[in-house]
Amino acid sequence: MSIGMKDSLEQTILNLFDDFIRYSYSDEYKHNIYLYNGWKSNSAYKINDNKLILPLSAYSSWSGRFNPTDYIFKRKLRDIEKVFNYLDNGRTQTKDDLDNILKNVEDKEQSKDIECKYFYLNCYKKGTTHFSWKDKDLINKLNIFGSQKKGWLPPSYGKYKYDEMPIEEKDVINSFQGKEDYNKIFDNSIFNNIHTKGL
């Protein structure tokens, strides 16, 4: 049963990764995904660590009223939060749960600068929601997980120091994040469980 739960969780994380990279950059990149060392100008291979715009409406389609407690909107935010809860390993604490946050902002009709556990939200009537990430390490972790599962990173990623890798693997790391960022992640204990737990 635990293997099935792990597979289900990994699939949920991978689905979120796919969804996020689809919208991290402009429309021209939505279906244009290649192996890292094949890219020249394409950036649709990882989640933008500053801001993400999703076609997710917090407004009622029939009344136009701000309605972030709507089932579809709230379910999507819950799915995102569940993935980040797992990746976060309990580092981030919050005093308010998502249901309370959404109910409060709906009552106040506050559609901008909504603070959630892992992100800030700005909701627009045109049907989009803008996410600004609080913890870029979690976005890095999600990018690494998704990229490993898709076979875009070498199997040795995170197991060896940059200088111990063959030139072909260094080229992939350079395309993905560069030597300095790789070394930071390699030395960061937050990411030490990438291989032992499957993340």
Side-chain angles (χ1 to χ4, degrees), residues 8 16 18 29 31 35 39 60 67 69 76-77 93 101 106 117 121 126 132 137 149 167-169 177 194 196:
S8 174
L16 185 68
D18 284 339
Y29 297 132
H31 305 289
L35 293 173
W39 285 311
S60 169
N67 185 26
T69 57
K76 182 66 173 180
L77 294 186
Q93 302 300 317
I101 292 168
E106 183 173 277
K117 185 173 182 180
L121 301 174
K126 62 184 177 181
S132 297
D137 281 345
K149 289 296 179 184
I167 189 71
E168 300 82 21
E169 293 185 7
Q177 65 195 149
I194 287 174
T196 58

Side-chain angles (χ1 to χ4, degrees), residues 23-41:
Y23 296 105
S24 278
Y25 298 90
S26 68
D27 285 346
E28 68 182 283
Y29 297 132
K30 277 188 185 175
H31 305 289
N32 188 21
I33 299 171
Y34 306 101
L35 293 173
Y36 288 121
N37 54 352
W39 285 311
K40 296 295 181 213
S41 61

Side-chain angles (χ1 to χ4, degrees), residues 31-163:
H31 305 289
N32 188 21
I33 299 171
Y34 306 101
L35 293 173
Y36 288 121
N37 54 352
W39 285 311
K40 296 295 181 213
S41 61
N42 180 14
S43 297
Y45 57 87
K46 62 181 181 178
I47 302 159
N48 184 331
D49 65 3
N50 290 317
K51 183 167 69 171
L52 176 72
I53 301 171
L54 288 181
L56 179 65
S57 182
Y59 289 85
S60 169
S61 57
W62 58 272
S63 71
R65 184 178 65 85
F66 182 58
N67 185 26
T69 57
D70 172 74
Y71 174 75
I72 293 171
F73 185 81
K74 190 162 54 172
R75 183 184 65 194
K76 182 66 173 180
L77 294 186
R78 269 200 197 118
D79 288 346
I80 294 168
E81 196 171 89
K82 281 179 193 172
V83 167
F84 285 172
N85 279 336
Y86 183 78
L87 295 174
D88 186 53
N89 273 344
R91 291 181 307 129
T92 304
Q93 302 300 317
T94 184
K95 49 186 184 272
D96 254 335
D97 71 2
L98 185 61
D99 287 340
N100 287 338
I101 292 168
L102 296 179
K103 177 74 172 97
N104 288 337
V105 297
E106 183 173 277
D107 291 345
K108 294 188 288 187
E109 296 184 15
Q110 176 193 340
S111 61
K112 305 287 187 297
D113 301 318
I114 302 166
E115 184 174 3
C116 297
K117 185 173 182 180
Y118 298 110
F119 43 79
Y120 294 95
L121 301 174
N122 287 315
C123 305
Y124 295 92
K125 284 190 175 182
K126 62 184 177 181
T128 61
T129 298
H130 295 211
F131 292 76
S132 297
W133 311 118
K134 289 172 142 184
D135 186 346
K136 292 184 181 183
D137 281 345
L138 288 179
I139 300 302
N140 282 334
K141 198 168 185 181
L142 182 53
N143 278 325
I144 292 165
F145 173 82
S147 300
Q148 285 179 320
K149 289 296 179 184
K150 290 181 172 292
W152 295 347
L153 290 173
S156 62
Y157 185 95
K159 294 179 182 176
Y160 299 101
K161 293 181 179 178
Y162 179 89
D163 293 332

Side-chain angles (χ1 to χ4, degrees), residues 137 140 144 157 162 177-192:
D137 281 345
N140 282 334
I144 292 165
Y157 185 95
Y162 179 89
Q177 65 195 149
K179 177 180 179 177
E180 186 178 331
D181 285 342
Y182 175 80
N183 285 336
K184 284 180 191 172
I185 286 175
F186 181 82
D187 294 334
N188 188 340
S189 61
I190 292 168
F191 294 92
N192 285 345

